[in-house]
Amino acid sequence: MLHGRLKDIYRDLCKIALIIYKYIYIYIKFLTVRLNKVNWNRWRAMHKISRRDFAKLALGVAITSISSSSIASIGFSRGKRFAMYIDVSKCYGCYACMVACAAENNVPVGVFRTWIERHVRSDGTIIFVPKQCNHCDNPPCVKPCPTGATYVNEDGLVLVDDNKCIGCGACVTACPYGARYKNPVKGVVDKCTFCDHRIYDGLLPACVEACPTGARVFGSLTTEGSEVRRLVDRNPVQVLKPEYGAKPMIFYRDLPEVANL
Amino acid sequence: MSWPAYPEGYMYPNEFFEPIVWKPIMTAYTTMIAIASGLAILMGLTLILNYKPLLRYLPLMGILGIASTLVLLLGPLADLRRPDQAFQIFISPHIMPSNTYPGISFIAIVAYMWPITIIVFTLVTLLVISADLLAKGGYYRILALGLKSEAEYPSYYRIARILAVILLILGLAWAFYYPGLLFTAESKLMLYNITPLLPLTYTLGALIASIFILSIASILTRIHLDNIMVKIIIVSALSIIFIKLIELLRVSFILSDIPVIDSLMRVMGGIIILTVILLILTVILGLYSLRDIRILPLASFIGFVAVILDRWVYSISVQQVSKTGIAIFPVHIDFVEALPISSLILLFLGLAVILSVILPTRSVILEKVLGGEKL
Ligand code: SF4
Ligand code: SF4
């Protein structure tokens, strides 16, 4: 009985503390609201939705399907908009793309510009999910870069200028997709470039060229009639961790929920 | 080939290559920021409010403030993989958002704030002690910033008070900087944002750190300690305890069933509890110090250790949680990492000693004010 009463008092005290906390929080929010829009949207969501839903959101399990109309709403302010379409059901885990990428771009051992995740479903089936830099349309990695070494080029590629990078790691921390690494050989930060040295010569990225099943399709979303545009328009596609607001430009088909952590 | 594996498969292999991107030197860096920003806030407020109990510490605050600010950026510099390109931050700072460079970098802003803080700290300090420098004669007159006679001092003091407003703003900006940087590191959103009151905690921690340094320096220079220092320590420690407790309550009541929070609590829960215990100890010893001021250095030292732990949690421990939120990386601290940390501390102490030899650590004219004379 006493125990129950103590529990009630404790609960009431917690409620009061939470109310006080909320006021302090609103005040702080007011002070810092401009710092990070995604951040506070998340908080707003947190206060509105149930704990269970929030847990899902926090885990990024809720994969958003992107319809063609929502693709049109992505703010392209540039001429071309390079993107990739990856059909997960076509990837059978041969790792040819990883090898081609490492060879093409001198990727040191232990780090990856692209990698293949391997997930085992409860029924025993295995799914392979290719991942890499998403060349996000609202890239969180560019914002904290102090020197402007990380930048967005006119076609939407997110690139790193080796001569400007000081290796502070702010972008590595900011990228939600683990796509960046500090190159142990060069000292600067590295990641997928969509093989910019190839595509502007009319070639395909090395990974796309190496893929034997055509699981990866590369092109410009803003170019009428491009294959990637057609596929993204016609198929139900998903992007990784949409809750971060990064607007990734890698569109997946048949992405398993488990690959979205 | 063997792959590092999460329960659901392997993910983000780049994380396994270098899980802790920002090394332990960042804790020393953020602690040094705490000292510098705390001193800037204290000095700014003392001058703006013309607060008599703290006036006698102004020269010391200035000297310690200049020394700590001067060494500040050596912390992150030691953590850069390409320190030879560090100058890029000054010649090509990312402070104007554009299509090519969206957003604004906090780090770039801080890089520019750094020389400004040094200049303002130096100017305010020299203005405050200008009469004493004039009295010393010789080359010291140059440092007196053109002061001709003691009669002119009140106008110098007034200018110092005006500059103190800028110093206070800079102090607050430094105190808020690191939490701000963390809040904008969006990938770790869930990790950092369980504590939206972090800027407040960091500011209060800065006050504790600066009082600790100030009390030690005061003892060494034989300036007697004042009860107001104890009160600042007690109020700051109590406030941090309050904030930490409500945050812990919130985490355990609202967010407890979220896996990422679970991971987070596993890496930082113990340290947070230890921090709170140390802060409670600080408050208890602080209350004793009100009766016997000699205990203040011990009370503030324990508070200072709590501040360092708090910095460790938000600079190192949070990095232990993977971007997936479900894996935890161990921290391997190499002995070589102690080298830049100790160099940073030694450099700060060395600079503080040199400056206190060059500049007067007590101001005769301010002592006169304390004796009842008007400026
Ligand atoms: S995936 Fe990461 S590195 Fe690539 S653009 Fe997005 S945030 Fe930047
Ligand atoms: S590591 Fe290089 S690219 Fe990344 S934020 Fe720092 S300077 Fe910019």
Side-chain angles (χ1 to χ4, degrees):
Chain A
M1 175 119 162
L2 182 69
H3 179 248
R5 198 171 279 176
L6 278 176
K7 226 175 166 180
D8 286 347
I9 293 172
Y10 178 60
R11 206 163 280 165
D12 288 346
L13 280 176
C14 288
K15 270 184 198 158
I16 294 167
L18 279 172
I19 291 168
I20 297 171
Y21 166 78
K22 219 167 179 176
Y23 279 107
I24 300 174
Y25 156 63
I26 288 167
Y27 173 67
I28 297 291
K29 182 178 160 184
F30 171 73
L31 286 179
T32 54
V33 73
R34 297 205 63 77
L35 291 184
N36 184 342
K37 272 190 211 147
V38 181
N39 162 356
W40 295 114
N41 283 342
R42 215 161 223 260
W43 277 99
R44 209 171 294 124
M46 196 180 84
H47 286 276
K48 278 183 189 154
I49 63 180
S50 72
R51 282 156 64 169
R52 202 181 178 81
D53 287 346
F54 180 61
K56 277 189 183 173
L57 179 68
L59 273 173
V61 177
I63 301 172
T64 313
S65 280
I66 305 222
S67 67
S68 49
S69 60
S70 58
I71 284 177
S73 74
I74 294 172
F76 299 122
S77 50
R78 308 167 182 95
K80 280 183 184 161
R81 204 342 163 170
F82 289 124
M84 195 179 275
Y85 169 88
I86 296 178
D87 190 339
V88 174
S89 60
K90 282 190 180 172
C91 176
Y92 66 108
C94 67
Y95 301 138
C97 52
M98 277 171 67
V99 176
C101 170
E104 177 72 29
N105 297 298
N106 261 334
V107 182
V109 176
V111 286
F112 301 86
R113 285 190 178 203
T114 184
W115 63 97
I116 309 292
E117 283 176 14
R118 178 181 178 274
H119 299 284
V120 185
R121 282 210 170 115
S122 49
D123 62 3
T125 45
I126 294 171
I127 312 159
F128 296 98
V129 182
K131 285 191 181 174
Q132 61 179 78
C133 168
N134 290 275
H135 291 275
C136 309
D137 207 47
N138 180 28
C141 58
V142 180
K143 294 170 196 169
C145 177
T147 61
T150 283
Y151 64 100
V152 188
N153 88 352
E154 63 281 7
D155 299 323
L157 296 185
V158 178
L159 301 171
V160 182
D161 180 345
D162 284 2
N163 296 318
K164 277 191 183 177
C165 176
I166 58 176
C168 67
C171 56
V172 181
T173 313
C175 168
Y177 304 102
R180 290 176 169 253
Y181 56 87
K182 285 182 176 168
N183 188 312
V185 179
K186 293 195 284 180
V188 297
V189 160
D190 228 345
K191 65 168 198 69
C192 158
T193 58
F194 267 162
C195 284
D196 61 333
H197 59 288
R198 289 171 58 94
I199 56 175
Y200 288 113
D201 280 347
L203 300 169
L204 284 172
C207 58
V208 177
E209 202 166 79
C211 180
T213 63
R216 293 171 181 258
V217 179
F218 173 81
S220 168
L221 275 184
T222 46
T223 306
E224 283 294 335
S226 75
E227 175 77 347
V228 75
R229 182 175 177 146
R230 192 182 59 78
L231 288 165
V232 172
D233 260 355
R234 293 199 185 154
N235 295 300
V237 286
Q238 302 95 31
V239 293
L240 292 169
K241 295 187 180 180
E243 71 277 11
Y244 282 94
K247 297 185 182 167
M249 287 293 124
I250 303 265
F251 299 93
Y252 288 91
R253 180 159 188 200
D254 292 339
L255 185 70
E257 287 197 349
V258 73
N260 205 31
L261 278 176
Chain B
M1 192 185 283
S2 76
W3 291 96
Y6 291 100
E8 285 83 3
Y10 53 84
M11 292 176 177
Y12 307 144
N14 291 329
E15 273 193 334
F16 286 92
F17 187 72
E18 192 178 21
I20 308 295
V21 176
W22 289 333
K23 300 283 181 262
I25 180 77
M26 295 308 274
T27 304
Y29 169 52
T30 48
T31 308
M32 203 52 84
I33 291 182
I35 295 171
S37 59
L39 286 165
I41 294 168
L42 275 184
M43 193 171 189
L45 283 176
T46 307
L47 277 164
I48 293 165
L49 304 173
N50 212 2
Y51 189 61
K52 278 196 177 171
L54 285 176
L55 278 185
R56 68 166 64 87
Y57 305 106
L58 282 178
L60 266 187
M61 286 181 196
I63 287 170
L64 294 168
I66 297 168
S68 53
T69 317
L70 272 173
V71 299
L72 255 190
L73 288 195
L74 294 178
L77 190 68
D79 200 34
L80 297 183
R81 297 306 187 277
R82 290 296 302 266
D84 55 310
Q85 303 207 133
F87 63 92
Q88 289 286 355
I89 207 165
F90 292 107
I91 60 169
S92 139
H94 176 199
I95 45 180
M96 291 297 282
S98 64
N99 270 353
T100 310
Y101 307 107
I104 294 176
S105 165
F106 268 61
I107 303 173
I109 293 174
V110 152
Y112 273 90
M113 229 162 68
W114 178 61
I116 296 171
T117 313
I118 295 173
I119 292 168
V120 175
F121 242 135
T122 311
L123 278 178
V124 173
T125 309
L126 291 180
L127 285 167
V128 165
I129 56 172
S130 54
D132 302 274
L133 289 166
L134 184 73
K136 275 190 153 203
Y139 289 121
Y140 287 101
R141 282 167 178 269
I142 304 166
L143 293 176
L145 302 175
L147 185 78
K148 299 253 165 25
S149 68
E150 212 175 274
E152 286 176 8
Y153 182 70
S155 52
Y156 272 56
Y157 188 75
R158 234 169 281 137
I159 300 170
R161 289 185 67 194
I162 294 166
L163 282 176
V165 179
I166 303 173
L167 190 62
L168 177 64
I169 294 168
L170 286 169
L172 286 170
W174 275 106
F176 275 51
Y177 152 64
Y178 197 71
L181 181 69
L182 296 185
F183 285 153
T184 48
E186 299 175 43
S187 66
K188 301 253 176 176
L189 216 55
M190 286 304 301
L191 315 189
Y192 297 131
N193 288 353
I194 66 158
T195 168
L197 298 180
L198 201 59
L200 208 58
T201 325
Y202 264 50
T203 310
L204 295 164
L207 290 179
I208 294 178
S210 58
I211 291 285
F212 164 66
I213 297 292
L214 195 59
S215 63
I216 299 293
S218 301
I219 291 168
L220 292 175
T221 50
R222 300 205 180 140
I223 299 175
H224 76 81
L225 302 170
D226 195 282
N227 266 354
I228 184 66
M229 291 173 148
V230 184
K231 287 176 190 161
I232 293 174
I233 290 269
I234 294 176
V235 171
S236 304
L238 272 177
S239 311
I240 299 177
I241 294 168
F242 174 70
I243 293 172
K244 294 260 173 243
L245 286 182
I246 49 176
E247 279 180 352
L248 273 177
L249 277 176
R250 193 175 137 269
V251 166
S252 42
F253 272 81
I254 305 179
L255 309 172
S256 58
D257 51 359
I258 300 172
V260 69
I261 299 294
D262 184 50
S263 304
L264 202 59
M265 280 300 110
R266 269 161 52 206
V267 295
M268 58 196 277
I271 305 181
I272 291 180
I273 290 167
L274 183 61
T275 308
V276 170
I277 292 171
L278 287 177
L279 287 170
I280 293 171
L281 211 60
T282 307
V283 173
I284 294 169
L285 285 172
L287 291 172
Y288 273 110
S289 316
L290 285 174
R291 283 201 214 136
D292 182 356
I293 195 76
R294 284 172 304 176
I295 302 173
L296 172 63
L298 178 64
S300 58
F301 172 71
I302 294 173
F304 184 58
V305 174
V307 169
I308 295 175
L309 284 180
D310 201 36
R311 265 49 179 179
W312 176 271
V313 161
Y314 293 106
S315 54
I316 307 299
S317 303
V318 280
Q319 292 186 72
Q320 287 184 256
V321 180
S322 148
K323 291 187 188 212
T324 60
I326 56 168
I328 290 174
F329 301 110
V331 189
H332 298 295
I333 301 174
D334 246 335
F335 182 68
V336 286
E337 278 167 29
L339 220 68
I341 296 176
S342 38
S343 322
L344 187 73
I345 297 165
L346 283 176
L347 210 63
F348 163 60
L349 294 177
L351 269 174
V353 170
I354 292 169
L355 284 174
S356 57
V357 170
I358 298 172
L359 303 173
T361 51
R362 41 199 325 163
S363 166
V364 178
I365 197 157
L366 287 175
E367 308 255 331
K368 277 189 204 165
V369 175
L370 290 173
E373 278 186 38
K374 275 202 158 222
L375 269 180

